[in-house]
Structures are given as C-alpha cells and as structure tokens.
Amino acid sequence: MTEAPARRRDSGRRHDREIVSLAVPAFGALVAEPLFVMADSAIVGHLGTAQLAGLGVASALLTTTVSVFVFLAYATTAAVARRVGAADLPGAIRQGMDGVWLALLIGAVVIAVALPTAPALVSLFGASDTAAPYATTYLRISSLGIPAMLVVLAATGVLRGLQNTRTPLYVAVAGFVANGALNAALVYGAGLGIAGSAWGTVVAQYGMAAVYLVVVVRGARRHGASLRPDIAGIRASAQAGVPLLVRTLSLRAILLIATAVAARLGDSDIAAHQIVLSVWSLLAFALDAIAIAGQAIIGRYLGADDAPGAREACRRMVQWGVAVGLVLGLLVLAARPLFLPLFTSDATVKDAALPALVLVAASQPISGVVFVLDGVLMGAGDGPYLAGAMVVTLAVFTPVALLVPTFGGGLTALWAAMVLMMLVRMLTLWLRSRSGRWIVTGATR
C-alpha cells in the first residue's frame, strides 16, 4: 500500500528536477530576447525623438514578422525530441537541419519582400513624415538579418529538442552584450546614426546564428547525420509548421483586436492597456518557460513509446503551471501600487489600469494551465488541434471584445474579455488533454 505513493513521490521529484533544469535556462533566454529592442531604444533614443519613433515603427514590424514564424522553434523542438526519445540522434539532428533549411528559405523570401516594400509598410503603420525615413532605413537594413533570426529560432528548437536549454541561454546573453556594444560603437563611434544601430543588430544576429550552426554541425558530424538540404524533410517541416502558424496568427489577431478596442475607449484607456499588456507579456515569459520544458519532455516520452510517462509528465507540469501562476498573481497584486508609478504619473491612467491588473493577477493560474497544456500538445505534435482551438477562441473573443465600447465597462470590461479568452483556451486544451488523443507514440507522429 505504501509502495505506490512512494513511487509517485519519486516520479514527481524526477519530473520536478527535469522541469526546473529545462525551464530556468529557457526563461533566461526568453527574457534576453526583448532586451535587444530595449538596448536599441536606449541608444537610438539619444539621437532624437524622430529617430526613436522610427525605430519604434520598424521594430514593431520586425517583431511581428519574426513572431509569426516562431513555429520554426516549436515544430522543430517536438520533432527532434521524438527522435531523441526513440534513441535516434542522427535522425534528430537531421530533422533539426530540415528546420534550419526551411528557416533560410523563409528568410530569403522575407528579404525579397521587405526591401522593396519597406516605405509602404512604414507608411501603413502610420509613421510621421519626420520618423518615416528613419523607420525605412532601419527596416531595410534590419531585414537583412531576418534569415539569421529565423535560423536562431530553428536551431533553438533543435537544442531544446535535444533537452539542452542552457546553450540558447548562453547564446542569447552573449548576443545581447554584443548587440549593445556594436550599437554604441556604430551609432556614436562611427557616427552612423540609426543605420549603425540596425547594422549592429544584424551583425549580432548573424553571430548568434553562426554559433548555433557550429553547435548543430558538430553534433551532425559526431553522429553521422547529413547536412544537405532534403526536399522531403523541408516539406514535412513546413507542413508541421502550418497549423502552428495558424495558431500564432489567431493569437496575434486577438492581441491586435484588444489594442484596437482599447484605442477606441480613449487615450487614458489605451495608455493603461499598454501598461497592463506589458505586465501580462512579462508574466507570459515565466509560464512559457514551463511550456518549453513541456515541448521537450513530452516529445521525448512519446518518441520512447512511453505513454504513461507522458501522461504523468503532463499532470506534473500542469501542477507547476498552477503553482507558478498563483505566485505570479500574488506578486502582481502586492506590487501593483509600486510599479504603476514607473509607467505613468497620470492618476486617470492608474485608475484605469488598477482593476485590469487585478483581473490579470486573478487569472494567472488559468494562464499557467493554458501555457503548460499548449506546450504539451506542441510537444506531442498536435498542431492541427491547436490551430482549430485557437480559431474557436478568436471567434468567441472577437464579438465580446468589439461590444465593450457599446456596453461600457471600459478597460476592465476589455480585460474581462481577455480572461474569457484564456478560459476558452483552457477549456479546449483541457478537453484535448483529457481525451488522450494527443498521445501518439513513435519517432514520428
């Protein structure tokens, strides 16, 4: 009678150690990514308001573009982890190289589109006449670094699938330091202005991509894996990525709709919304780190034909998601009077943000479950279901959010709609996890 609980405790501790060993470095790497934009903003901001405004527009375009292709990391992690679980390291690295080649192809297409259309894209985003030239310059130069950004995404997925999240952390930190140093040297030392900031970032990104490729190529040579492009493998990587692309686009649409509704509520509400959304996004990094661990662990268990292990790992990670969500929610509740003055001194904006932050805090355990199950299903390669579930969520959220200006309630009502969106996501993901249909074992799904 006592052996079963003891086994469960031992299994729980093993999962805990594994989750922490993967999630903590992943969190560090995730936090390092937005620091690139912050470093650029800090350096360019001293050139003038027009330059900073131009950087803001160009960075928004670049960030949106790269985030759309984040499936390169997600799909590659799941595919590589399955091969690792099946004890097929050459196949795992071969699978990862297919993702890297796909990233290079997509990057080449994006450059071909971005270079001639940069002025039109900047105008579409509403850049002023004074900021537009700077935004166009930064966008054109920085777009040359998009292949490197996408290679970094795919190679990060390879290493995560290999159960290695430390190397991405080290590369991200080194890239951040190099980016800051290069920006300062080129903007001020070489007197290149905003163009220097763009070139510094491009060089840093190619440096990061080169480090990743060295690591992956060494692994390929060590295990005898081919590095040549494989059309069938690249096509399979693209097919696996399409559902995740639909999922990501649906999520981006939800965030854009929320921002558009907040803008219709008035200047104070849109300012408060930006603060709340920034806090919500920061909290997402912590929860996404657990999701990344989930992708790698679940993929490995399924590749090893260990369905019970996958179920137990899923259960344990959900517990982690709820616990971390509770802690984050309490931190937000306790700290909100302290960090709001860091964003604004406007009492009206603070009054609008406070109740919305309470909703964000209260919903963090829900977010914890959502992020974890999202990661579990990605690790299982259950992309088509994730795409469908997110489209359903978008369909529920959109009319509710658009009715907020009509029925009133201001920003609090809008963020209540955001909580509803997370509840719908939790329900759809929980139903899938309970069904067990995501559990498909083997080296490939």
Side-chain angles (χ1 to χ4, degrees):
M1 294 292 289
T2 60
E3 290 182 4
R7 282 198 301 270
R8 283 197 295 269
R9 284 195 298 272
D10 290 342
S11 175
R13 293 192 190 102
R14 185 178 72 253
H15 287 308
D16 290 345
R17 288 193 295 271
E18 197 167 31
I19 292 166
V20 170
S21 67
L22 291 171
V24 172
F27 174 70
L30 289 169
V31 170
E33 290 174 11
L35 292 178
F36 270 78
V37 177
M38 290 179 63
D40 287 2
S41 299
I43 293 171
V44 171
H46 292 287
L47 294 174
T49 302
Q51 288 91 332
L52 184 58
L55 173 67
V57 171
S59 294
L61 284 163
L62 289 164
T63 302
T64 300
T65 301
V66 174
S67 68
V68 164
F69 298 115
V70 75
F71 70 83
L72 289 165
Y74 293 159
T76 305
T77 297
V80 171
R82 276 185 176 270
R83 295 281 186 176
V84 169
D88 180 13
L89 285 178
I93 295 173
R94 173 66 264 173
Q95 194 97 46
M97 283 305 303
D98 292 336
V100 171
W101 282 113
L102 177 62
L104 287 169
L105 289 173
I106 293 173
V109 172
V110 172
I111 286 179
V113 172
L115 287 178
T117 62
L121 291 171
V122 167
S123 177
L124 184 65
F125 261 60
S128 67
D129 291 341
T130 54
Y134 298 111
T136 301
T137 297
Y138 191 92
L139 181 60
R140 277 182 166 154
I141 296 172
S142 292
S143 66
L144 299 176
I146 286 178
M149 296 185 212
L150 300 186
V151 166
V152 166
L153 283 177
T156 299
V158 176
L159 294 180
R160 288 174 180 170
L162 293 171
Q163 318 296 297
N164 177 1
T165 56
R166 291 184 179 275
T167 299
L169 171 61
Y170 300 148
V171 175
V173 171
F176 167 69
V177 173
N179 178 67
L182 285 167
N183 271 263
L186 295 175
V187 171
Y188 298 117
L192 296 179
I194 196 169
S197 176
W199 281 117
T201 301
V202 168
V203 172
Q205 287 160 348
Y206 274 99
M208 292 170 66
V211 172
Y212 274 120
L213 289 177
V214 167
V215 172
V216 173
V217 168
R218 283 179 178 174
R221 288 176 175 169
R222 185 164 58 249
H223 296 288
S226 173
L227 296 171
R228 294 178 180 177
D230 177 57
I231 300 302
I234 294 171
R235 186 186 302 115
S237 294
Q239 289 172 345
V242 168
L244 296 180
L245 176 61
V246 172
R247 168 202 168 274
T248 301
L249 289 173
S250 299
L251 180 57
R252 297 296 301 185
I254 287 170
L255 298 178
L256 286 172
I257 289 168
T259 301
V261 171
R264 291 175 62 188
L265 296 175
D267 289 348
S268 295
D269 285 300
I270 185 61
H273 174 74
Q274 188 60 36
I275 294 171
V276 178
L277 187 61
S278 298
V279 173
W280 188 77
S281 299
L282 179 62
L283 299 174
F285 284 128
L287 298 173
D288 202 26
I290 305 174
I292 288 169
Q295 293 170 30
I297 293 170
I298 294 297
R300 194 190 72 232
Y301 273 113
L302 295 178
D305 293 322
D306 187 357
R311 289 192 187 93
E312 177 60 25
C314 174
R315 185 189 67 82
R316 194 65 174 178
M317 279 183 284
V318 168
Q319 292 174 349
W320 268 86
V322 173
V324 172
L326 282 170
V327 171
L328 293 175
L330 291 173
L331 286 173
V332 172
L333 284 175
R336 70 189 193 282
L338 301 176
F339 64 71
L340 270 177
L342 298 176
F343 290 95
T344 182
S345 58
D346 189 323
T348 306
V349 175
K350 290 180 184 178
D351 290 341
L354 276 171
L357 284 170
V358 172
L359 286 173
V360 169
S363 65
Q364 284 310 293
I366 297 170
S367 296
V369 175
V370 168
F371 275 82
V372 166
L373 291 180
D374 205 42
V376 165
L377 297 184
M378 282 185 191
D382 205 11
Y385 182 85
L386 288 171
M390 190 59 80
V391 170
V392 169
T393 303
L394 173 62
V396 173
F397 171 79
T398 301
V400 175
L402 293 178
L403 287 172
V404 168
T406 302
F407 288 97
L411 192 66
T412 304
L414 176 60
W415 274 91
M418 291 287 285
V419 173
L420 173 64
M421 177 269 293
M422 295 301 288
L423 283 169
V424 173
R425 288 188 71 189
M426 185 176 72
L427 177 62
T428 57
L429 296 175
W430 179 80
L431 288 173
R432 186 63 167 182
S433 69
R434 292 286 293 175
S435 74
R437 293 177 183 175
W438 56 277
I439 299 177
V440 180
T441 58
T444 58
R445 183 178 173 90

